[in-house]
Amino acid sequence: MEHIVIIGNGISGVTAARHIRKLSDKRITIISAETEYFFSRTALMYIYMGHMKFEHTQPYENWFWEKNRIELKKGFVTHINDASKELVFANGETMQYDKLIIATGSKPNKFGWPGQDLEGVMGMYHKQDLETLEKFAPNNKVCKRAVIVGGGLIGIELAEMLQSRDIPVTFLVRESSFWNGVLPAGESAMINEHIREHHIDLRLGVNLQEIKADEHGKVKSIIIKETGEEIACDVVGLTAGVSPNVDFLKESNIELGRGVKVNRKLETNVKDIYAIGDCAEQQEAIGNRRPIEAVWYTGRMMGETVAQTICGNPKEYNPGHWFNSAKFLDIEYQTYGWVFGERGRPEYEQHFHWKHPKEHLCITIAFHKETHEFLGINTFGIRMRHHAFDKWLTEKRSVEYVLEHLADANFDPEFYKLHEKDIVAQFNQEHHTNIQLKKRSWKRIFQFS
Ligand SMILES: Cc1cc2nc3c(=O)[nH]c(=O)nc-3n(C[C@H](O)[C@H](O)[C@H](O)COP(=O)(O)OP(=O)(O)OC[C@H]3O[C@@H](n4cnc5c(N)ncnc54)[C@H](O)[C@@H]3O)c2cc1C
């Protein structure tokens, strides 16, 4: 029986295994060095914050794997010998495969900062990082201050986690405004304000120079490069992005860029070896998408796609329109289509920005400045219906059409105050138009999905 081996038990590897099982009777083994069972990485923060226990982050019961004949193997793969189709583990064991799927995810970036490997310095990616955080920052007596280096989505989660235990946080962000490589200026400014409202010591436009150790080799402070300021701290969280976890492949014949290079069928340059999820790098970017996409749902989609190919229905990875969601402390964020920040914004992309006068609610709609084609939307504090924007993007609707039907897209819970009228009124005023907001129609809403 053909043996499919998957390295990595994250969302992409596990999705591939589940779908291969649905489609075939092949022998399946999933290998992971991190945990015995699959868990939801995105829920890690809630364990530290006391909302969940680790077991609650495991979407499948422990009996699921045996029942579905998916073998689990704990171990770290150090080498792939593609000629003999053999994996070598850190403890010297070996395993044969017929087809191999590499789904090894990401690792936190480290940029060679002095002191980056001291005790009390950690990323926030693996379950082991959470255990380290629990050890060095159990409360504000043991950890009097934490410094977070790198202002992205994981950095702000870590800040929220530490705050939940009343641990003071200094947040070093290299950019002049939070996440402004991605967010337009108005939104980024709102997030700066929100972070500071939470009494987080946000330092913008600064870099880490060095992490200093005490006499026991544990972190005692950091130095800011631009000012030379020394900040005493007990924990340093390194959250300056992630990169594909592929170092163990450097000696192999598999072509690497930043990640494992794959074609649209998720095949590597080596026969019978595939790569999916955070560690995969598309040879050619798909539309405006980045060649490496470290998000949950694309890992799941790649897992489904590769399962089809492996089971004899060759399929190309086709992720559709870009979307994503996240949370900046109390503010929920969603994005559909493309809304570029200041950096890399195409010359044709025009923005309409609406912000609530008092609350942290705002939207930015991107549209083509000549054709008025709707290109994308960012929303903060207002929940929108994914299927609505997906359909409107596919249908290449105009910005005017989107505004007219905005009430259909709203997904806020019942009795939430609605803001579509104000949004449309501002657009009409700025653009000298006369768009009339249509009443929400359930008939139209049912046609979205
Ligand atoms: C704190 C946090 C919050 C996040 N929140 C969101 C969110 O809200 N929304 C979103 O879309 N995404 C979020 N992400 C990103 C998302 O979790 C990842 O994109 C996704 O988990 C990647 O899945 P994967 O299957 O590709 O890899 P992973 O989940 O990283 O799994 C890979 C596994 O392979 C193992 N492995 C690696 N190398 C080897 C080896 N040589 N031998 C054996 N095992 C190996 C690793 O230990 C790991 O267990 C978040 C990530 C983090 C860290």
Side-chain angles (χ1 to χ4, degrees):
M1 192 189 293
E2 193 175 43
H3 188 198
I4 312 295
V5 175
I6 302 168
I7 314 177
N9 70 346
I11 181 65
S12 50
V14 160
T15 305
R18 285 198 309 107
H19 283 262
I20 294 169
R21 174 52 67 245
K22 277 190 197 176
L23 296 164
S24 78
D25 212 27
K26 297 178 196 292
R27 181 177 167 208
I28 305 170
T29 302
I30 307 182
I31 299 166
S32 173
E34 186 180 8
T35 53
E36 206 171 336
Y37 299 110
F38 168 51
F39 71 97
S40 169
R41 197 171 296 294
T42 56
L44 272 181
M45 68 182 295
Y46 300 109
I47 303 172
Y48 182 84
M49 289 167 73
H51 302 186
M52 286 175 142
K53 292 207 161 101
F54 180 69
E55 304 82 81
H56 302 151
T57 68
Q58 293 177 188
Y60 302 99
E61 303 276 358
N62 294 352
W63 49 257
F64 173 88
W65 310 100
E66 201 184 327
K67 182 165 180 261
N68 288 287
R69 288 170 295 118
I70 297 174
E71 296 167 40
L72 303 180
K73 159 97 182 145
K74 186 122 192 268
F76 184 79
V77 177
T78 52
H79 190 68
I80 297 173
N81 188 343
D82 63 276
S84 56
K85 292 198 162 181
E86 186 178 70
L87 305 181
V88 182
F89 289 86
N91 64 1
E93 278 181 58
T94 57
M95 183 184 281
Q96 294 295 133
Y97 66 84
D98 294 304
K99 290 203 167 97
L100 178 69
I101 302 175
I102 302 167
T104 51
S106 300
K107 59 178 171 41
N109 285 332
K110 288 182 172 182
F111 292 108
W113 295 294
Q116 67 182 17
D117 295 315
L118 289 171
E119 289 226 317
V121 181
M122 69 209 68
M124 180 40 62
Y125 190 88
H126 292 106
K127 178 167 184 267
Q128 289 72 16
D129 295 324
L130 195 70
E131 287 158 4
T132 313
L133 187 69
E134 196 59 72
K135 177 173 167 200
F136 290 100
N139 54 50
N140 59 12
K141 303 229 162 27
V142 176
C143 178
K144 297 197 172 50
R145 175 165 294 276
V147 173
I148 299 174
V149 182
L153 297 178
I154 297 179
I156 199 154
E157 281 195 2
L158 182 56
E160 184 176 355
M161 290 160 74
L162 292 157
Q163 281 241 310
S164 75
R165 297 203 187 177
D166 293 328
I167 295 171
V169 174
T170 295
F171 200 174
L172 307 188
V173 174
R174 188 182 54 176
E175 292 75 28
S176 57
S177 183
F178 192 83
W179 220 38
N180 68 356
V182 179
L183 299 179
E187 301 174 349
S188 168
M190 186 179 82
I191 302 300
N192 292 339
E193 200 182 301
H194 187 58
I195 294 172
R196 289 189 168 126
E197 276 167 3
H198 274 257
H199 308 289
I200 292 168
D201 173 27
L202 175 65
R203 310 289 186 95
L204 295 170
V206 295
N207 285 275
L208 174 68
Q209 176 163 315
E210 172 184 2
I211 307 171
K212 289 188 141 188
D214 65 11
E215 61 278 20
H216 307 294
K218 190 185 154 292
V219 54
K220 73 161 190 192
S221 63
I222 61 100
I223 308 281
I224 293 181
K225 190 172 175 186
E226 286 70 16
T227 58
E229 184 185 355
E230 181 165 3
I231 299 174
C233 57
D234 301 290
V235 156
V236 176
L238 301 178
T239 58
V242 295
S243 40
N245 203 352
V246 295
D247 290 348
F248 75 107
L249 299 172
K250 286 196 173 138
E251 307 290 303
S252 75
N253 292 321
I254 300 167
E255 188 190 350
L256 301 179
R258 280 186 60 232
V260 182
K261 291 272 195 180
V262 290
N263 61 20
R264 285 291 290 271
K265 284 202 214 111
L266 306 168
E267 296 163 325
T268 68
N269 62 316
V270 177
K271 189 169 178 302
D272 293 333
I273 302 186
Y274 306 78
I276 56 174
D278 279 23
C279 71
E281 177 176 349
Q282 286 290 324
Q283 274 156 5
E284 276 171 42
I286 303 171
N288 281 332
R289 286 174 173 263
R290 294 181 183 170
I292 300 173
E293 288 185 323
V295 285
W296 183 265
Y297 75 89
T298 53
R300 205 186 53 221
M301 284 179 174
M302 288 190 224
E304 287 179 23
T305 306
V306 83
Q308 291 286 345
T309 300
I310 283 182
C311 293
N313 318 312
K315 210 177 155 186
E316 292 209 336
Y317 169 58
N318 184 6
H321 299 294
W322 169 250
F323 68 93
N324 200 8
S325 66
K327 199 168 71 69
F328 299 96
L329 301 165
D330 306 326
I331 306 178
E332 283 182 28
Y333 156 70
Q334 295 178 319
T335 185
Y336 302 102
W338 294 107
V339 183
F340 282 92
E342 309 312 313
R343 208 174 51 199
R345 183 186 309 173
E347 169 276 323
Y348 59 77
E349 182 176 313
Q350 186 170 347
H351 284 182
F352 164 67
H353 182 67
W354 172 88
K355 183 173 181 320
H356 190 280
K358 293 195 189 102
E359 294 169 51
H360 288 320
L361 304 172
C362 75
I363 69 164
T364 302
I365 299 183
F367 59 99
H368 194 292
K369 77 175 176 204
E370 269 138 37
T371 64
H372 279 208
E373 182 183 329
F374 169 64
L375 301 174
I377 185 168
N378 284 353
T379 71
F380 288 78
I382 301 175
R383 271 191 210 171
M384 294 288 187
R385 231 175 268 281
H386 178 181
H387 290 302
F389 292 110
D390 203 56
K391 189 163 188 274
W392 294 339
L393 285 163
T394 301
E395 292 172 350
K396 297 184 180 295
R397 295 293 186 179
S398 67
V399 61
E400 289 82 4
Y401 179 93
V402 168
L403 283 162
E404 204 174 271
H405 294 86
L406 205 54
D408 288 347
N410 189 299
F411 196 53
D412 271 334
E414 225 178 332
F415 308 125
Y416 263 50
K417 196 171 175 330
L418 301 176
H419 303 282
E420 287 83 29
K421 265 193 190 153
D422 299 340
I423 295 169
V424 171
Q426 182 179 318
F427 187 91
N428 279 334
Q429 195 186 25
E430 285 177 14
H431 295 263
H432 312 291
T433 47
N434 186 24
I435 299 166
Q436 300 294 318
L437 180 71
K438 285 199 190 312
K439 269 197 173 163
R440 178 184 289 186
S441 151
W442 285 104
K443 193 170 162 218
R444 283 194 301 267
I445 291 170
F446 285 131
Q447 285 165 2
F448 287 149
S449 46

